[in-house]
Amino acid sequence: MKDPRDGQTYKTVKIGKQVWMAENMNYDIKHSYCYDDDHANCEKYGRLYTWAAANYVCPEGWHLPTKEEFETLMSNVGGFGGTSGKMLKSKQGWEPYEHEFEHALQDGNGIDKYGFNVLPAGSRYFTGDFYSVGVYAFFWSATRCEGNYAYDLDLDYRNED
């Protein structure tokens, strides 16, 4: 998919009946950030967006997924509580972790079975602090929840779901 606003091209993938971008958006708008304010991180991971910015960043014909669309995606790749996260995560870039029972170092990488290629891009607090690159991937949904919050999909290095 080529974004007509800036000419950037993004890979897409079809999982079930849904078509997803298989790369994080990297469209520069107000309230979007490169991890650690380093442009190289935008090239590697895409941009980090506030929820308000995320609602306006998608090019024409695309939209921020709803909570229900994320639930359908996860159901199509193994469901919550299964190995869905491992199926979607990239094959490299995720930090290793110590297993809580075996006390041995475990691989945090996924197998990217569907070409979704989730990268551990980390996040940015509203205070401006960056955290968890290599450890987490956070994806906003368009669905509001209680208070001034929105549902999101989080993948991390320790869990397969």
Side-chain angles (χ1 to χ4, degrees), residues 53-92:
N55 279 281
Y56 294 101
V57 73
C58 295
E60 188 174 332
W62 291 85
H63 66 274
L64 200 59
T66 63
K67 176 182 180 245
E68 291 76 19
E69 288 170 323
F70 275 140
E71 289 170 347
T72 299
L73 169 67
M74 297 307 276
S75 176
N76 284 331
V77 298
F80 291 101
T83 59
S84 54
K86 189 171 188 115
M87 300 296 154
L88 297 175
K89 291 188 315 187
S90 61
K91 295 178 181 179
Q92 59 187 6

Side-chain angles (χ1 to χ4, degrees), residues 4-136:
R5 300 169 298 177
D6 62 5
Q8 291 192 74
T9 302
Y10 298 93
K11 291 188 292 187
T12 61
V13 62
K14 185 173 183 180
I15 300 174
K17 294 181 180 179
Q18 298 174 312
V19 177
W20 294 86
M21 283 190 183
E23 294 180 75
N24 291 338
M25 290 292 304
N26 192 21
Y27 185 68
D28 189 1
I29 64 171
K30 187 175 182 179
H31 303 296
S32 69
Y33 309 91
C34 297
Y35 194 92
D36 276 344
D37 296 321
D38 182 346
H39 185 71
N41 285 325
C42 277
E43 293 298 318
K44 182 175 183 179
Y45 298 113
R47 298 187 73 82
L48 304 173
Y49 298 94
T50 64
W51 184 67
N55 279 281
Y56 294 101
V57 73
C58 295
E60 188 174 332
W62 291 85
H63 66 274
L64 200 59
T66 63
K67 176 182 180 245
E68 291 76 19
E69 288 170 323
F70 275 140
E71 289 170 347
T72 299
L73 169 67
M74 297 307 276
S75 176
N76 284 331
V77 298
F80 291 101
T83 59
S84 54
K86 189 171 188 115
M87 300 296 154
L88 297 175
K89 291 188 315 187
S90 61
K91 295 178 181 179
Q92 59 187 6
W94 294 82
E95 294 288 328
Y97 65 97
E98 186 173 333
H99 191 276
E100 64 183 307
F101 300 115
E102 297 173 13
H103 301 291
L105 211 54
Q106 304 292 311
D107 186 0
N109 292 319
I111 62 171
D112 192 25
K113 181 176 181 178
Y114 299 93
F116 201 71
N117 199 40
V118 174
L119 297 173
S123 192
R124 181 183 179 272
Y125 286 116
F126 68 93
T127 59
D129 295 324
F130 295 92
Y131 65 100
S132 298
V133 73
V135 177
Y136 291 101

